[in-house]
Amino acid sequence: MVGKKSEKALRDEGLERTDNNMELSSWPQIAPINQKNYYTYVTLLVFIQCLVDERRMMADDDNGSDYLKRDDQLLAFRLQNEEARNRMAKTAKDRDRALALGKQEQGDAEVDGDTAMEDAEEAPTETAGSKVIVLHLGSQNLRIGLASDALPKTVPMVIARKSAKNESEDGVEPRPKRIKLNEDGEEVQPEKQFGPEFASLFGTMCAELKTHMRQNKRRMLPNSKEMVINYNRRTVPEHIPEHNDPSRVEWTEISSPAPEYITGQEALRIPDDSKPRYKLSWPIQHGWCNEKDYDSARLLFLDISLILEDAIKTQLGLTSKKDWTQYSCVFVIPDLYERTYVSSVLEMLMKEFSFARVCFIQESLAATFGAGYTSACIVDIGAQKTSICCVEEGMCIENSRINLKYGGFDITETFIKMMLYDHFPYADINLRRRYDFLLAEELKKTICTMNESGVSTQVFDFHLRISGQDTRKYMFKAYDEIHLAPMGYFQPAIFSAGGDGDKLQGRRKLLPRSLDIYDGQQNDPTSAAQSEILAAIAPPLPAELAGVTTTEDEKPSQTNGTSDVQATPSRSHLSILGRVQDVEATPRSSVAGSPAPETTNTPSQQQQQQHQNGTPIPGDKTGGTAAAVSSSAGQQPLQQPPPQPRRAPTIEERDDILPVYPLDQAILTSITHAARSDDKKMRDFLGGIMVLGGGSQVQGFHAYLEERLHVLRPAFAKEIMIGTPPRDLDAQVVLDWSAGV
């Protein structure tokens, strides 16, 4: 065993322990707690914590326990208030300085100085956003307001113009379309008025609902349908005199002379038998410009400008156009917008309205900004279109954008179809009539539900109010129609069944697709998620459009116009000549090659030109002279180059596809393309789904949608959550309110 070395030996070997009196760390060293006094220390810490909690509670009581719930607690508002106080102080100092310099008489200075100070203190400061107008054009409603307003104002997006006949008398079939007489001229029963397709889908949905309710141990009466039909058959309306109707409608009175047009809510309240007649027009339909009902794009945008002008004057109180130059405009556009529409609106706002500045903001981005979410999946269900988009850190993810052409109005129409199928007592209902349209919307809001507990045989009533006639009170029964109509969001085939699938009629009639002037490709934004949905529902291309162009370096591409939906859509590699021949006759610069410089051609260039012109080439033994002689003699004309075949249109360029897809599957498709196989992003988006729009205000819709998503993605059942708009905001206006923030 080796003994301990002495200090001298350690010093000789350089291993002597030395101390430089330096601490190991600058952090203070705390001595360990004495175990004898351990519980004393714990008691002291608990007492200190209680004092801190009590002090915090007292502070919360002083603030009303509303931390970050008031606007004056936000940094932006505090900075604005501070700026306003500084501006007020600066104004007061400037006035005092002017008085000191003797710009006013001494006698008036004292009085005016006190008055100026009082005015400076009492004068209200200009609120941030009070000079910014926010506009959002929808298919059924226009949202308008100042950025400083608490909530926007809602105006129907409709205009009534003088006409010989109104919209219901203009020879157009009633809506929903019905088969009144069969081939033998006999009246068709209500069960057969909408064709076999609707009857089959309706019956299938009824059977599936019955099976699902049995699985959930829901009690059902076996003859519920028969009870509803028998009750509705024998129902007779009750007539109520107008003076006994407490909720009678105030109809729009036509002044003398009659105005050329009427907009907004007053247009919907014009009597159908008014003199002169007025015809309603809706400039925006299904999220697109209504090209079907207009003859020119100029008249279409003229109606839009008239509706906006009247709304600004009546809703915002800006009656003088001279004041509009001091205002800026924030215009909300769809996520998948059309460049032609945006450019036309920009021209209208800058030239006709003379706004100082114009800003465009996408719907999903505006919704997340106002809600305070950094990452979310926005589902906006409007009147006639539904948009889905994932937003991450203030940016819309391009490939996640989806635009579907159905909404709350499709639920209204389907609900009326189902009720007519079950012998609805008001069998002459026509959604093209103004009072019937308002009646149907009211019935949908008050009756429809997504809760299975509400599916039972119930008695409802409604009042039919027509100008110049007594009010009629109807009683009717409903069973599963109140649940199956909003189920169309998840089985959208029921929307087009029955002969009402005319949403694509007139498409591209007035507003052609925006194309690049150089290569002929479209300028409208595309999305991989939208392409996947369109490819899933696209019909095959006609034979004359199924061909594709090929070059020496390219292989034949697909003839059905589909592309890789997993990748970001890119421009086609087709030749420029092929693109130009496929593009419509729109103004664009020439894509032909530049003329050759006027210099001496090289021998190879001379030979090529002579060969193309049929002139003899020195040293050419292939018969160049014979070709020229035969051509000049007319025996064999020059062979023209073969025509360039048309390329197959891509999925985004096909106008024969109506984007209609189940809502739950569309949401998952959007999130899948946004996450891009990232499990963390997938969970974040599934846990941040926010549903907006008036079409989502069906009772129990959020819970039912969450249940459907759980079935489709059971592995993420714990993360899936459907959120509601924050701050108790109305789902219809949260998007427009947030655009002004």
Side-chain angles (χ1 to χ4, degrees), residues 482-553:
I482 61 177
H483 181 81
L484 295 180
M487 271 286 295
Y489 287 141
F490 309 100
Q491 298 183 22
I494 195 68
F495 292 153
S496 58
D500 291 326
D502 56 351
K503 297 180 180 180
L504 291 175
Q505 186 177 352
R507 182 75 172 140
R508 304 294 181 189
K509 183 180 71 173
L510 304 178
L511 302 177
R513 192 186 303 275
S514 177
L515 302 172
D516 192 274
I517 62 175
Y518 296 105
D519 57 10
Q521 292 297 303
Q522 66 169 352
N523 290 323
D524 298 336
T526 58
S527 167
Q530 184 81 355
S531 299
E532 180 176 344
I533 290 177
L534 294 178
I537 61 179
L541 274 175
E544 60 272 10
L545 296 178
V548 294
T549 57
T550 57
T551 60
E552 294 180 359
D553 299 332

Side-chain angles (χ1 to χ4, degrees), residues 266-339:
E266 295 182 353
L268 291 177
R269 291 301 185 184
I270 299 176
D272 286 46
D273 57 351
S274 63
K275 295 181 181 180
R277 291 285 198 274
Y278 281 86
K279 183 178 181 180
L280 297 186
S281 299
W282 303 81
I284 306 295
Q285 290 284 275
H286 315 296
W288 293 323
C289 289
N290 186 8
E291 303 175 70
K292 180 182 67 174
D293 298 335
Y294 283 87
D295 296 330
S296 66
R298 185 183 64 83
L299 293 177
L300 173 63
F301 285 99
L302 175 62
D303 282 359
I304 294 178
S305 64
L306 291 176
I307 295 174
L308 294 179
E309 180 179 346
D310 283 3
I312 293 175
K313 291 180 178 179
T314 58
Q315 302 297 326
L316 304 183
L318 304 176
T319 56
S320 177
K321 274 194 170 183
K322 295 181 181 179
D323 300 336
W324 295 4
T325 56
Q326 305 175 8
Y327 286 80
S328 303
C329 178
V330 175
F331 197 91
V332 183
I333 60 175
D335 301 321
L336 280 174
Y337 57 87
E338 294 184 355
R339 188 177 183 274

Side-chain angles (χ1 to χ4, degrees), residues 208-222 224 449-456 479-480 483 700 703-704 707:
E208 292 177 353
L209 176 62
K210 185 179 298 185
T211 303
H212 192 268
M213 293 181 66
R214 285 177 178 173
Q215 293 176 353
N216 294 337
K217 309 299 181 182
R218 299 284 185 183
R219 183 180 178 183
M220 298 181 301
L221 295 176
S224 299
T449 178
M450 295 295 291
N451 294 328
E452 291 185 357
S453 59
V455 179
S456 61
Y479 175 52
D480 55 1
H483 181 81
Y704 189 85
E707 179 184 350

Side-chain angles (χ1 to χ4, degrees), residues 683-699:
R683 297 178 185 275
D684 291 342
F685 286 130
L686 287 174
I689 301 175
M690 186 169 66
V691 181
L692 308 174
S696 65
Q697 291 188 319
V698 182
Q699 184 180 3

Side-chain angles (χ1 to χ4, degrees), residues 37-56:
N37 302 327
Y38 178 76
Y39 293 101
T40 305
Y41 281 101
V42 173
T43 305
L44 179 61
L45 292 176
V46 171
F47 178 71
I48 294 174
Q49 185 64 34
C50 291
L51 292 177
V52 173
D53 293 341
E54 184 179 359
R55 180 63 61 87
R56 184 180 295 113

